[in-house]
Amino acid sequence: MFMYGGVGLAAAIEALERTCERPVVWATAQYLSFARPPSVLDLDVRVYYKGRHTTQARISGHVGEAEIITINAALGARPGGVSHQWADMPNVPRPEDCERVQLWPDHGDNFNRRVELRMPKGALRRDGTPSKDGRMALWARTVEEYEITPSMLAIFADYVPSAIGPALGQDNAGSSSLDNTLRIRHVVPTRWVFCDITVTGLHAGFAHGDMRLFAETGELMA
């Protein structure tokens, strides 16, 4: 029915990396409107700064004259830096031991049928009581065996709103994204991505949440 916000951010990350020839460090998207089939989304890349190790750039995604999405980003890598992580992946069952779930209604041959989601049993609260910690555990992978890249992680990262309903004890909260920021640590080969989602708070009709994306090995990727 419309372009999934994570796909818009993913397309922008891909365009940025191809244009700047550097890896994305972070990218933040502001969603302004909806792009609907069969329209074509154009991505205009502007490089504002290019240094020895980093590039600062911006993308405007538009359908005709209507701007749909705006992205600001930094790209690059500094050689010789220390690599470490303090965040640990939670101890959860392997994806093959988890229930297959569908978070959104099936509207035919679209995005929902190209991503497989699995969740530990009992992780979705349907008893009408709010979650005590607002957390949701989710394994995700593509049905087709696409390589895990920053752009693919951007697609999975936009599952944060899907945790709002379960945090409130509901199946679906009917939410949509205003913005999303992806920060890349270290992307490694993995078939499944573990999404550790936390809804941190709700007020005045807006929800706030974050996600940590881990490889199957426990490597924090983003």
Side-chain angles (χ1 to χ4, degrees):
M1 297 186 294
F2 57 88
M3 182 186 69
Y4 175 50
V7 171
L9 179 55
I13 287 174
E14 194 73 20
L16 285 161
E17 292 191 330
R18 293 187 188 189
T19 301
C20 301
E21 298 183 327
R22 284 178 166 174
V24 164
V25 180
W26 66 264
T28 186
Q30 184 178 7
Y31 303 113
L32 307 175
S33 187
F34 293 100
R36 301 184 184 276
S39 58
V40 174
L41 182 77
D42 291 306
L43 299 170
D44 298 337
V45 181
R46 287 190 177 185
V47 177
Y48 287 93
Y49 170 80
K50 184 174 183 180
R52 291 179 59 191
H53 303 303
T54 58
T55 298
Q56 304 276 357
R58 181 180 298 164
I59 278 188
S60 170
H62 57 94
V63 174
E65 297 297 319
E67 190 162 11
I68 304 298
I69 182 173
T70 299
I71 297 96
N72 290 297
L75 305 92
R78 291 176 175 167
V82 175
S83 180
H84 189 74
Q85 75 176 61
W86 285 265
D88 293 326
M89 188 172 90
N91 184 18
V92 295
R94 293 280 306 159
E96 54 267 21
D97 298 323
C98 296
E99 295 178 303
R100 188 165 183 168
V101 296
Q102 183 177 304
L103 298 179
W104 302 328
D106 189 342
H107 292 293
D109 189 15
N110 63 8
F111 175 83
N112 285 327
R113 295 188 179 178
R114 302 183 70 181
V115 174
E116 180 181 349
L117 303 175
R118 290 181 176 266
M119 192 177 290
K121 293 180 179 179
L124 274 177
R125 301 180 65 86
R126 295 190 174 91
D127 59 2
T129 60
S131 167
K132 292 182 179 180
D133 56 9
R135 296 182 71 179
M136 187 170 82
L138 192 68
W139 288 100
R141 71 174 179 180
T142 57
V143 174
E144 300 107 324
E145 295 194 19
Y146 285 112
E147 178 186 2
I148 296 301
T149 62
S151 56
M152 189 61 67
L153 293 179
I155 292 176
F156 293 154
D158 206 20
Y159 278 113
V160 170
S162 299
I164 298 170
L168 296 172
Q170 304 168 7
D171 284 346
N172 191 338
S175 59
S176 60
S177 299
L178 286 176
D179 64 277
N180 197 1
T181 299
L182 181 72
R183 299 184 180 275
I184 299 295
R185 179 187 166 264
H186 183 211
V187 181
V188 297
T190 185
R191 183 69 179 97
W192 287 94
V193 174
F194 180 73
C195 306
D196 183 15
I197 310 171
T198 304
V199 180
T200 52
L202 301 95
H203 182 70
F206 296 97
H208 306 274
D210 56 52
M211 175 194 293
R212 291 175 174 176
L213 297 107
F214 294 91
E216 293 178 75
T217 59
E219 186 85 17
L220 177 65
M221 295 191 290

